[in-house]
Amino acid sequence: MTPAGRPARRSTGARPPAVLVALGVAGALLFALPLAGLLWRTPWRRLGSLLGSDLAVEALRLSLVTSSAATAASLVVGLPLAWLLARVAFPGRTIVRGLVTLPMVLPPVVGGAALLFALGRRGLLGEPLYEGTGLLLPFSTAGVVVANAFVAMPFLVLTVEAALRGLDPRYEAAAATLGAGRLAVLARVTLPMIAPSVAAGALLCWARAIGEFGATITFAGSLPGRTRTMPLAVFLALETDRDAAVALSLVLVAVSLVVLVALRDRWWGAG
Amino acid sequence: MTPTGRTRRRARRGLTLRRRGPLVVAALAACTAGGEPGSGTGSLVVLAASSLARPMPGLVRAFERAHPGIEVQTSFAASSALREQVLAGVPAGVFASAAPEHVERVVEAGAAAGPAVVFATNRMVLGVPAGNPGRVRDVADLARDELLVGLCAEEVPCGRYARRILARAGVTPAVDTVEPSVGALVTRIETGEIDAGVVYATDAAGSARIEAVAIPDELAETATYAVVPLAGAPDPATAAAFVAFLTSAEARRVLARHGFGPP
């Protein structure tokens, strides 16, 4: 017929190959099924009382406190680190960047064990610290914060470093020529410009911290009210009270979804 | 486009399905062929309590010698964790627990292929790092705040026995960590991360880095080990044979060598 009469579909391609569809659907199911299983198993009627139980309230409170503290610590230490990595070409910068990225690929349990070897009671730094000051990080809430910060800070540092690298240096140069000192430039020009990235990095850091299990249980142990965060509570509850485990898991999934939605522009692009 | 294009596309699709279909079926067949029940494949998976980790290699060797051609694989974890695996349908042949209640739960749920059999006993002791840095002398010392004390989780047999001992002694321990299995607790003690924990006598005897502080008889708990063949066993005959072996004189000798008591 005439070109006008041909189906417009032709420009986007005809039906996709069946194999691609099948494999793609299998991939999507891999992500959807566990969530569906969780929702299917949820004891909806008892959810309120389960979430109000001591186990749940304690674990939730501890998780919120420790991940927020870990995020705060990450901001205090991570922002300067990110700035140094992005702006100062010091010798060994690549190695430092590698070290900062390491917790992201290291199995968390290995991270926890390593922290123990370094900061435990008989650890490299831990032993002199304990002998000298009586300070002990394992089995304490502070230890949970350290373990969480160890695994979560890299997310903040790398996000902020990328943002700093992508910043147009002319703004800071302009501020400098107008008479602003280095710290003033940092506070009034640089930080406000990278603020969205700092926020995103902090949110990622917080989300990673609240989900941390392996490093926490290895380094800080598990004690209700002191070190048993939500993931640890779920792990224990799986053997004692399945319904409580499901309820706590649901809370963690909800938290993750909120974080994803908050960061959707960064990760989901045009949708 | 042209009719040629359409044919080409259809031909490609047809080719893809027709070529891959048989391959997928063959792969699936190969995967399932090895695991048919009752096929007498000569392999057995044994789920055993953490505290059985030391005697189990010796037990397995003796069993494999008596039953040539059979290969035994073992998996160790807290008995409560293993119970959940069994109830979730793990394809194992035998479940050996450090406390009878976990095996009983499995039997009640209909997941067992036979009755539970008691095959060993154990005693609880206070485990301390070699050299006893915390100067732990008795159960009451576990209440000392300055000591780092560890217990197993309540649902884990070791934890349950420990709490019974502490209750009997009227001691409220200053617990600093609750471990998911006795293996994890033993490691904490061995590395000196904690000063004391309630573990099995066999754990202390089997490690040069742990010393045992005895618990007096009037407070003591005897751990009872029970084993059961599982309904989901790929090879039920071998599973039953292993259970029978665990109560044999030879098994009792191996267990005694590691410090376990008779049933």
Side-chain angles (χ1 to χ4, degrees), chain B residues 41 50 90 131 149 164 172 187-188 197 200 222 238:
Chain B
T41 50
S50 305
V90 68
V149 173
R164 276 188 220 151
T172 310
T187 308
R188 292 260 194 221
Y200 296 104
T222 302
T238 311

Side-chain angles (χ1 to χ4, degrees), chain A residues 41-196:
Chain A
R41 184 64 179 74
T42 304
W44 295 104
R45 263 169 298 176
R46 292 182 54 210
L47 198 61
S49 68
L50 283 170
L51 291 177
S53 69
D54 283 340
L55 167 79
V57 167
E58 234 170 18
L60 187 57
R61 184 195 62 85
L62 197 60
S63 275
L64 289 173
V65 165
T66 52
S67 30
S68 306
T71 308
S74 299
L75 283 167
V76 167
V77 177
L79 284 180
L81 183 59
W83 192 85
L84 285 172
L85 285 172
R87 290 297 166 77
V88 180
F90 59 88
R93 178 163 68 162
T94 330
I95 299 178
V96 173
R97 195 179 285 123
L99 286 174
V100 170
T101 324
L102 193 61
M104 287 173 85
V105 291
L106 201 65
V109 172
V110 175
L115 279 171
L116 214 46
F117 301 143
L119 296 169
R121 212 160 52 151
R122 302 249 180 106
L124 181 65
L125 187 62
E127 188 163 13
L129 197 66
Y130 181 64
E131 305 287 317
T133 65
L135 189 70
L136 191 65
L137 284 174
F139 316 122
S140 70
T141 311
V144 178
V145 175
V146 168
N148 284 0
F150 179 75
V151 297
M153 200 188 314
F155 290 86
L156 175 69
V157 173
L158 292 178
T159 309
V160 172
E161 193 203 337
L164 282 169
R165 284 169 169 271
L167 211 54
D168 189 337
R170 287 178 297 176
Y171 291 101
E172 291 166 326
T177 56
L178 289 171
R182 277 197 308 203
L183 280 177
V185 170
L186 200 65
R188 273 135 140 256
V189 179
T190 321
L191 275 180
M193 289 186 76
I194 59 167

